[in-house]
Amino acid sequence: VDAVSSLLSNVDNLRFTDTNALTDPNVAAAKAHERVVKLTTFDGKTYTIAMGRKPEEKKLKPPTEGKTGPTAMGSVEDLAKKEAKGADKQTAPKPVTPQYDTIPAGPVFAFVTSSDSSAPVNGLMQKRAFQVGDYIFTSLPQKPADLFEPAPTPPATPPTAPKPDAAKPAAPSGPEPAKK
């Protein structure tokens, strides 16, 4: 219930922070990575709110020494010297760890449409792309199942013991009393 309430409060109070041209590359990237919420009013109208953004990217950095390919390792003589030096120290050569550049995620865009073809929001969405705050997008669930908690499993019931036959007399339990 809390997740649904939070989702509703975020999408029913959208505040646009900026607008962009529909041809902006960030807008196209946002449309490719959207999450969609559909709200239906009591009078049967449906509003679709799609939000998306270009995701963060990590790109491999080129070597910093300016050399690429096999020449980045040095000459054959340099390699032989490094191997001899490593053999003297009895240490393994340190592996090269790749370095990455992080390109931050793009702005978040909201695309709102109404099932009512005469609704003004439909015309506005055909003219500009509307940016919204990042927190609205990051607070959305990753998948619909994240909105709901799994149903609790019912407690296991112990197996019932078979009932004794009423026609048979019950066997005495415990030791027999001593006769006097």
Side-chain angles (χ1 to χ4, degrees):
V1 174
D2 291 337
V4 174
S5 295
S6 174
L7 172 69
L8 286 175
S9 69
N10 280 334
V11 297
D12 74 351
N13 288 316
L14 280 179
R15 303 275 189 252
F16 301 120
T17 58
D18 202 359
T19 66
N20 291 48
L22 295 173
T23 57
D24 187 319
N26 283 326
V27 174
K31 281 192 173 262
H33 297 92
E34 8 178 83
R35 294 186 208 153
V36 178
V37 176
K38 288 187 179 188
L39 304 173
T40 303
T41 61
F42 290 114
D43 62 353
K45 293 178 185 172
T46 301
Y47 290 89
T48 303
I49 303 161
M51 287 183 263
R53 75 179 332 171
K54 179 183 135 199
E56 177 180 273
E57 291 181 59
K58 292 190 183 267
K59 291 191 176 187
L60 188 61
K61 283 185 182 180
T64 56
E65 296 172 6
K67 297 181 182 179
T68 60
T71 58
M73 296 171 58
S75 67
V76 175
E77 293 83 24
D78 291 339
L79 288 173
K81 288 177 188 175
K82 286 180 186 177
E83 284 181 19
K85 195 182 227 184
D88 291 344
K89 294 181 181 179
Q90 296 297 325
T91 59
K94 189 168 104 176
V96 177
T97 56
Q99 299 288 322
Y100 292 94
D101 276 331
T102 301
I103 300 169
V108 177
F109 291 92
F111 310 97
V112 181
T113 56
S114 172
S115 62
D116 179 6
S117 60
S118 64
V121 72
N122 292 335
L124 289 171
M125 291 293 145
Q126 298 298 318
K127 296 177 182 177
R128 299 288 292 172
F130 293 86
Q131 285 187 36
V132 295
D134 292 356
Y135 69 93
I136 296 171
F137 183 73
T138 56
S139 68
L140 289 175
Q142 295 291 320
K143 53 190 179 287
D146 292 345
L147 279 175
F148 305 102
E149 295 176 2
T153 56
T157 56
T160 56
K163 294 182 180 178
D165 245 354
K168 292 183 180 178
S173 62
E176 288 188 30
K179 293 184 182 179
K180 293 186 183 179

